[in-house]
Structure formats: C-alpha cells, structure tokens
Amino acid sequence: MSEEKQAKVKAFFDASNKNDLDKVVACLADDFLYSPAANKQIYRGKEQAKEVLKVMFEMWENKAKFEVLEFDERGDGTLGCKWKLEAGEVCKESWYFIAFDDDGLISSIRQDSS
C-alpha cells in the first residue's frame, strides 16, 4: 500500500483537526473534485474547496476531531479511507474514496453514501 498516499491523507486530516485551512488546501490538486454524500453537489477546484472548508471550520468552532480508522488500497488506484468525526454532539463514521494526481496531491474525494 502506498505510504505516500496514506501520509497525504493523514496530513489532510491532521490539518483539518487544527482548522489549518492553508495546510488542508495544500494537500489538494488545483483541479480537485469533492463529492460529499450529504448532497448531490460536486465542488470543483481548490478555491471552491477552500470556501467550503472555511464555512465548515467556522461551524465546528475548533470542536471537530477526525480520526483515520483504516485504509484500503483499491484496485482502481484510489485509496479508501474510513474515518470518524467527533464534533460536539455529532459522532459519525464514513468512507472517503480518494484519488491522487501525478504529483501525489489529492485530486478527488468521493464520500460513501451508505
């Protein structure tokens, strides 16, 4: 399993836990795509991702903590990442399916809808 991919995902979540918007966005490719399970919208590009993350960080008020639970190297080259979020009264687990560009940056995240 690609240790570089896992390290990039861990850096993404570590920066999220610190509400460090610049470090989160530094993990993303310029043409990044995000497809959350919560809605049908697809967020395109690093700048749009930054705006969405900024709103989320403000909403969480430094109370959100992500924990990576496991990784699963997929046959299509993506990395499955099961994570847990605790934010105040909210506690949930989900999977992200993450693709990477040739430079090792996260090019897309698709959240499992189950």
Side-chain angles (χ1 to χ4, degrees):
M1 189 173 306
S2 170
E3 290 184 22
E4 293 85 13
K5 290 179 180 179
Q6 288 183 24
K8 184 62 70 179
V9 172
K10 287 178 182 177
F12 173 86
F13 282 118
D14 288 345
S16 295
N17 285 339
K18 296 174 183 166
N19 282 354
D20 190 331
L21 190 57
D22 291 332
K23 284 189 180 179
V24 172
V25 172
C27 295
L28 308 177
D30 288 338
D31 59 350
F32 172 74
L33 296 174
Y34 176 52
S35 178
N39 60 47
K40 302 289 185 203
Q41 184 168 352
I42 295 176
Y43 300 97
R44 299 177 187 279
K46 189 184 269 193
E47 288 306 312
Q48 191 173 32
K50 186 174 185 175
E51 291 304 314
V52 170
L53 288 164
K54 182 178 177 184
V55 170
M56 292 170 63
F57 288 173
E58 289 170 358
M59 181 179 68
W60 292 334
E61 300 175 333
N62 292 319
K63 296 177 185 161
K65 296 299 172 208
F66 287 94
E67 178 183 355
V68 173
L69 301 175
E70 67 180 279
F71 288 110
D72 180 29
E73 189 81 31
R74 314 292 290 185
D76 61 1
T78 62
L79 181 66
C81 174
K82 185 176 183 180
W83 53 268
K84 179 169 101 173
L85 167 66
E86 293 183 15
E89 301 292 318
V90 175
C91 183
K92 76 181 250 180
E93 292 182 9
S94 188
W95 279 91
Y96 277 163
F97 299 99
I98 305 167
F100 298 84
D101 69 7
D102 292 339
D103 295 322
L105 296 172
I106 297 171
S107 60
S108 71
I109 295 176
R110 180 180 56 81
Q111 187 176 5
D112 183 32
S113 59
S114 59

